[in-house]
Amino acid sequence: MNKSESIKNLAIALSKFQAEITNPANTATNPFFKSKYAPLNDVLNNVRPILSKHGLSVVQAPAGDGENIVVTTLLIHESGEWIESEPLVLKADKPTAQGAGSAITYARRYALSAILGISSEDDDDGNNAEPNKNNTNTSSSNKKYDLNDKQIKRLFAIAYSVNIDSNTVKEQVKKKFNKDVKELTKEEYDNVCKGYESLKK
């Protein structure tokens, strides 16, 4: 993390900010994954008034090389003091404007929450780091099944139709099954698709 020569005033302001701020409500949900998170716009609406009250502001600068998306977050105090996070680098799920936009939104939410010391998603109590017990099942329905590009695009399209971006899909799959989207079994893939489709009802 980079910072100005002194951050005394910024530290005092940030301390006051953190004493007053509450975590944003996790309004976005997926009942299949039993997880909730606060969309970026909700996080910003929650923090901006209190940041301003204490002379703080945030600048997030996206960049990229055509494959990777980079977001750098700068927290600034009205005194001119600042701290800058290490760049957060994500690989866009596809080399399109939509893919880049999705990755930028995802990176901004995480980086903003981290630098301000707030939470914008449910805490799984470390369960994401634990092997999923369901994956030990050796029945034929749980044998390795590599999804093709068409199936993955279909899954992302279903999720997008209910306002869930591809990076959130990847995060939720990782949390639920402890594997990447392309590593889902046929049964898991079908269940994930059904879970997102149920949100349309």
Side-chain angles (χ1 to χ4, degrees):
M1 177 177 287
N2 299 316
K3 63 182 180 63
S4 57
E5 184 175 349
S6 171
I7 59 169
K8 178 180 178 180
N9 295 308
L10 187 153
I12 293 171
L14 183 58
S15 176
K16 292 179 179 179
F17 166 85
Q18 291 181 338
E20 187 173 345
I21 194 68
T22 58
N23 291 329
N26 293 340
T27 56
T29 185
N30 187 314
F32 177 74
F33 289 105
K34 298 178 181 169
S35 62
K36 295 182 179 181
Y37 65 96
L40 177 62
N41 62 311
D42 287 356
V43 176
L44 290 171
N45 289 338
N46 190 55
V47 303
R48 275 175 172 160
I50 305 176
L51 284 171
S52 178
K53 176 181 177 181
H54 297 291
L56 296 167
S57 59
V58 173
V59 175
Q60 293 187 290
D65 59 8
E67 293 185 3
N68 296 309
I69 297 299
V70 181
V71 171
T72 303
T73 301
L74 184 68
L75 180 63
I76 309 168
H77 186 254
E78 60 187 7
S79 65
E81 296 173 353
W82 55 273
I83 56 176
E84 182 183 55
S85 69
E86 293 297 324
L88 178 57
V89 182
L90 294 176
K91 187 175 181 63
D93 67 291
K94 50 188 175 181
T96 63
Q98 180 180 326
S102 177
I104 290 171
T105 298
Y106 186 84
R108 286 184 63 198
R109 178 169 69 89
Y110 269 87
L112 179 63
S113 299
I115 203 167
L116 295 180
I118 61 174
S119 173
S120 59
E121 64 179 324
D122 284 344
D123 183 358
D124 70 352
D125 197 29
N127 290 329
N128 189 36
E130 295 295 325
N132 191 299
K133 293 180 180 179
N134 292 332
N135 292 340
T136 61
N137 189 322
T138 57
S139 67
S140 59
S141 62
N142 282 319
K143 290 181 180 178
K144 185 176 180 181
Y145 178 81
D146 291 327
L147 301 181
N148 59 43
D149 289 343
K150 185 176 181 180
Q151 290 170 310
I152 293 175
K153 288 180 180 178
R154 173 177 176 264
L155 171 57
F156 288 157
I158 293 172
Y160 186 75
S161 71
V162 290
N163 299 317
I164 297 175
D165 62 61
S166 58
N167 281 310
T168 300
V169 173
K170 294 175 184 178
E171 174 191 359
Q172 293 176 332
V173 166
K174 188 71 173 178
K175 181 177 291 187
K176 177 73 175 179
F177 301 105
N178 196 36
K179 60 176 69 173
D180 295 332
V181 171
K182 65 181 180 180
E183 297 174 332
L184 289 173
T185 66
K186 180 64 166 63
E187 181 179 4
E188 290 166 346
Y189 168 77
D190 289 340
N191 286 336
V192 173
C193 289
K194 289 177 182 177
Y196 286 126
E197 287 174 336
S198 71
L199 297 177
K200 299 178 182 180
K201 299 177 181 180

